[in-house]
Amino acid sequence: MAAARSGTTAETIGAVFAARFIALGGVVLFSGALLDRVNPVAAAVAADATRFFTLISLALLWDGRLDAVILGVAVLIGLCEAVSEPALLLITPQVLRRETRAATKADGETDAPDGSGSSDPEEAAVTAAYGLLEGMRNTSGIVGPTLAATVVAVLSSSAGAVAAAVAFGLSAVVTRWAGARYAARSVPDSPATDCPATDSPATAGPAARTSDEPEKPDESLLRSALGGLAVLWRVRWLRHVQILAVVHVLLAVGPWMVALPVFLLETGHSATVYGFVLGSFAVGTVVGALVGGRVTGRSRGLYSLALLGLFGVTVLAPVATGSVLLLTAAFVAGGIGQQAFDVVKMAGLRREVPESLHGRAFSADFFFSFASLPLGQLFGAVLLRFADARTIMLWAGVLVLVTTAAAMLSPDARRFSSAPPPAPRTPPAPAQAAPLPERVRDAGTS
């Protein structure tokens, strides 16, 4: 806002956002390799502290113009975000209470040897924790910009930078507090009751049992980053999900995001309606994070893919109706479905991938879902020169629905598990009475 008031061109303002985006997408794979080598709590605290001091310096030195300083700040913020995002996914499950660890039977057999998690408290707790984490993130994504805009409008841009710095400072303090619990959970008290689920051969998928090799000390960050991509590719249902994400973001979501405001304006809606429906989608993601935190069991993949299909309905909604009320409902539903799917997928990734590769796997997943977006938006801008916005939106909606339904054909994807389904249990045969001794039979017939 301050940059616009000072006469900065829209192209320069766009360059600032692009700088953050490029920094984030360009290093997120390498940050995952780094997180598998260092304490993720220390990395997350360092990222928050760096943003705190950077924004404080910006508030004191910035004169409202966009120059090399503000571009450098945008790059630094993107680099810190590339570290903190996957780090939080590593930290969150480890700060769960010991009572939520997987139950173990007296004979050592887990309650859910097929990896379904249908009776595993660890499974439900981790999924719920990711749902709560994403719900808080999405809530802050709605409330934060609103409060920031209010502070900047009422006070000044420097006050807005200070407010953002305070938020990152509080985040560093809370993350450091959680680090004590993380360290406690990293050293289990006993293998039978406090080991992470991914360390148990009964609950880990095949990839975890065959690919959990110690990292070579002299291995480069590039090879480590490629290892994160490889581990996602080796697990069949994760491979299907990552391909689905790239197809959606590149060929459907990106073009749809470009075509949506054009279509709404062409059909007589105002820019206010556009902002309102996007806000409705954001509200849906908050609810969807909590919904996804409740999806467990053997059919979790099927349920989450069905929820993801709601986003296809959202994409088609502006073409199907002009009612703002119906559009709002459709966008809320799409936000619920998209975020619920992401939460269940993250819990499944943690369960299937060995713990020594978690940082790289989460970073690779974020890369697949994130890096294709600017290419998809560029593709949408090119399509608008050859097709109208309505056609693009129809194409995007049908593509989301068809590809999501196709993903349901894989049994692994329907279960979000690479472990084979459990064999049906047959009831034990009724015990037969022991034959009577010969003397007893003779006595009974005499």
Side-chain angles (χ1 to χ4, degrees):
M1 184 180 295
R5 290 173 180 171
S6 64
T8 306
T9 63
E11 289 80 4
T12 307
I13 296 175
V16 174
F17 288 100
R20 168 186 164 272
F21 186 94
I22 293 172
L24 174 58
V27 303
V28 68
L29 289 177
F30 299 97
S31 68
L34 180 65
L35 289 171
D36 283 333
R37 300 183 178 192
V38 302
N39 186 343
V41 175
V45 171
D48 285 337
T50 300
R51 286 182 282 192
F52 171 79
F53 289 112
T54 299
L55 289 171
I56 288 294
S57 301
L58 183 66
L60 297 176
L61 303 176
W62 190 37
D63 58 3
R65 294 179 298 176
L66 291 183
D67 49 19
V69 173
I70 194 66
L71 286 174
V73 169
V75 170
L76 191 58
I77 294 295
L79 294 176
C80 292
E81 191 174 354
V83 173
S84 63
E85 290 292 319
L88 288 177
L89 296 177
L90 293 176
I91 298 168
T92 300
Q94 296 293 347
V95 298
L96 298 173
R97 294 178 60 84
R98 184 177 288 111
E99 288 78 9
T100 63
R101 294 299 185 189
T104 305
K105 294 182 179 179
D107 59 359
E109 181 185 359
T110 59
D111 291 335
D114 62 323
S116 66
S118 56
S119 56
D120 188 354
E122 168 87 359
E123 166 75 14
V126 169
T127 307
Y130 280 144
L132 182 60
L133 173 65
E134 291 302 304
M136 290 189 295
R137 280 178 172 175
N138 294 328
T139 301
S140 63
I142 297 173
V143 177
T146 304
L147 292 178
T150 303
V151 171
V152 171
V154 174
L155 299 176
S156 65
S157 57
S158 295
V162 170
V166 170
F168 285 122
L170 291 175
S171 176
V173 172
V174 173
T175 304
R176 183 64 188 87
W177 169 82
R181 297 185 62 115
Y182 176 86
R185 298 300 175 252
S186 298
V187 183
D189 293 338
S190 64
T193 60
D194 212 29
C195 286
T198 49
D199 291 342
S200 172
T203 56
R209 293 191 293 270
T210 60
S211 305
D212 196 2
E213 301 175 357
E215 184 180 353
K216 299 178 181 179
D218 57 346
E219 188 176 32
S220 66
L221 281 179
L222 177 59
R223 290 182 62 86
S224 296
L226 294 177
L229 297 175
V231 73
L232 292 186
W233 189 261
R234 285 196 294 266
V235 181
R236 184 167 54 182
W237 75 265
L238 282 173
R239 179 169 69 244
H240 292 169
V241 168
Q242 301 307 326
I243 293 174
L244 182 69
V246 172
V247 170
H248 281 189
V249 173
L250 182 62
L251 302 179
V253 178
W256 174 73
M257 291 178 66
V258 174
L260 176 62
V262 176
F263 180 80
L264 290 177
L265 293 176
E266 288 179 348
T267 53
H269 294 292
S270 65
T272 304
V273 173
Y274 173 66
F276 183 75
V277 294
L278 289 185
S280 301
F281 186 88
V283 171
T285 61
V286 176
V287 179
L290 302 178
V291 171
R294 308 297 299 175
V295 178
T296 57
R298 295 191 181 99
S299 299
R300 55 184 164 238
L302 181 63
Y303 297 149
S304 59
L305 285 168
L307 287 167
L308 180 62
L310 292 176
F311 179 71
V313 177
T314 301
V315 175
L316 293 173
V319 179
T321 179
S323 169
V324 177
L325 181 61
L326 293 178
L327 282 178
T328 301
F331 273 71
V332 170
I336 292 174
Q338 183 267 329
Q339 190 61 66
F341 171 83
D342 282 347
V343 167
V344 182
K345 178 191 66 173
M346 286 188 294
L349 186 151
R350 178 185 177 273
R351 183 181 58 252
E352 292 283 314
V353 174
E355 189 171 4
S356 62
L357 296 171
H358 276 177
R360 281 163 280 183
F362 280 123
S363 295
D365 175 72
F366 186 69
F367 177 81
F368 277 122
S369 302
F370 180 82
S372 302
L373 183 58
L375 294 178
Q377 292 173 324
L378 179 62
F379 180 53
V382 173
L383 283 180
L384 278 175
R385 298 182 63 88
F386 302 97
D388 59 272
R390 179 187 181 89
T391 302
I392 294 174
M393 298 181 71
L394 285 172
W395 153 261
V398 172
L399 181 66
V400 169
L401 292 174
V402 170
T403 54
T404 302
M408 295 180 184
L409 298 177
S410 169
D412 288 359
R414 291 197 297 269
R415 295 182 291 112
F416 273 13
S417 174
S418 58
R425 295 184 179 181
T426 55
Q432 297 181 354
L436 296 175
E438 183 177 355
R439 287 177 300 175
V440 176
R441 291 200 306 268
D442 293 343
T445 56
S446 60

